[in-house]
Amino acid sequence: MGLGEASARGTTMEGDCLSCIKYLMFVFNFLIFLGGSFLLGVGVWVLVDPTGFREIVAANPLLFTGVYIILAMGGMLFLLGFLGCCGAIRENKCLLLFFFLLILIIFLAELAAAILAFVFRENLTREYFTRELKKHYQGYNNTDVFTSTWNAIMNTFECCGVNSPEDFEDSLFRVLHPNDMVPKACCRRITHPGEEQECLMGSMMFRYNKGCYSAVVDYFEMYIYVAGALTIVVLTIELFAMVFAMCLFRGIQ
């Protein structure tokens, strides 16, 4: 009788633990589902907004790329949240296994990206960007992805070159445009006729003099630490999600 009661209590405790994991996983994935829905909504709104914001985004390659990254992240989170919620509340082993495998793939991809970023960190130096700018930047050819991206960076961050406007000396840009010292993207906002020409001729008064490397690093300095902290949090959450999914999968009879 004593052994039977102990076994019954153990079964009850196991059932309570499984139920707790089940509802924790449902709440956790419902929040992920809401987050994914919000990102999808923002991305779709920006693309179809009739007030003109769509044209602003389309004209800026950085913003244009960012919108599709938001849509992709939103879709991924939406699917993950949906699978997790359905698998937990219905105690469906197939959905839970698919959820586990999807989280595992994302986790491994993030880990691989972090390793690659560390291995190729030397490609993020000033010297690398300066060398690439001199070799590939064309100035006014916006059909070239490299050129249009650099134009967007210089316009957005109000900077010129990687280190300074002198980066355009002995560059492809000067070969293509021998009369211009700097491209139009380096010029400050024009308020009077003739200022643009003064800028193109190299006048420091009418051009941006700060290099884009420093401008971008200064702008994102705080966000880099925030992104690092968020990455650690996300990886931890993904580990717990995999553990919960596998515990629930093994506990379902």
Side-chain angles (χ1 to χ4, degrees):
M1 182 67 74
L3 288 174
E5 289 178 358
S7 177
R9 280 199 300 270
T11 304
T12 303
M13 287 179 65
E14 187 179 336
D16 290 342
C17 184
L18 195 64
S19 181
C20 181
I21 290 175
K22 169 181 163 181
Y23 288 110
L24 274 175
M25 189 168 171
F26 176 81
V27 171
F28 165 75
N29 283 286
F30 184 68
L31 293 174
I32 291 178
F33 177 82
L34 289 179
S37 302
F38 175 74
L39 288 178
L40 275 175
V42 169
V44 170
W45 172 74
V46 169
L47 287 179
V48 302
D49 176 44
T51 60
F53 193 65
R54 177 178 52 188
E55 283 73 19
I56 296 172
V57 171
N60 190 321
L62 292 178
L63 291 177
F64 191 72
T65 304
V67 169
Y68 282 100
I69 290 173
I70 288 173
L71 280 171
M73 287 178 61
M76 182 183 67
L77 292 174
F78 183 91
L79 178 62
L80 275 176
F82 178 78
L83 287 173
C85 283
C86 290
I89 208 70
R90 293 172 64 88
E91 297 186 2
N92 187 306
K93 296 187 79 167
C94 183
L95 285 176
L96 285 171
L97 184 60
F98 188 56
F99 173 81
F100 174 84
L101 291 174
L102 197 56
I103 285 277
L104 181 62
I105 290 168
I106 293 169
F107 180 82
L108 292 176
E110 289 169 347
L111 203 59
I115 292 169
L116 286 173
F118 179 77
V119 170
F120 294 104
R121 65 191 184 281
E122 64 273 9
N123 286 349
L124 299 176
T125 61
R126 288 175 182 268
E127 292 74 19
Y128 172 80
F129 286 120
T130 304
R131 188 168 60 250
E132 292 299 300
L133 181 74
K134 285 179 177 289
K135 285 168 56 178
H136 302 295
Y137 181 76
Q138 299 177 29
Y140 311 121
N141 181 9
N142 282 320
T143 58
D144 177 63
V145 175
F146 184 89
T147 299
S148 61
T149 301
W150 263 104
N151 284 337
I153 290 170
M154 290 190 285
N155 283 318
T156 302
F157 294 98
E158 299 183 347
C159 56
C160 186
V162 177
N163 307 288
S164 70
E166 280 67 37
D167 289 339
F168 294 103
E169 294 176 3
D170 304 318
S171 67
L172 175 63
F173 168 76
R174 290 299 306 280
V175 172
L176 297 174
H177 310 281
N179 295 324
D180 294 347
M181 300 295 290
V182 294
K184 288 181 182 179
C186 285
C187 296
R188 296 179 184 274
R189 194 180 301 276
I190 304 302
T191 56
H192 298 290
E195 288 183 357
E196 183 177 285
Q197 192 57 37
E198 289 284 336
C199 167
L200 297 178
M201 291 174 64
S203 174
M204 295 180 65
M205 289 181 60
F206 304 108
R207 74 185 187 193
Y208 301 124
N209 294 297
K210 185 174 185 178
C212 291
Y213 192 94
S214 297
V216 173
V217 168
D218 290 347
Y219 183 82
F220 286 109
E221 187 172 18
M222 182 185 71
Y223 299 104
I224 289 171
Y225 294 112
V226 173
L230 282 175
T231 301
I232 293 171
V233 170
V234 168
L235 290 173
T236 304
I237 288 172
E238 287 172 353
L239 277 173
F240 276 108
M242 286 190 285
V243 170
F244 283 162
M246 194 46 60
C247 286
L248 196 55
F249 178 85
R250 289 172 61 85
I252 294 171
Q253 301 301 322

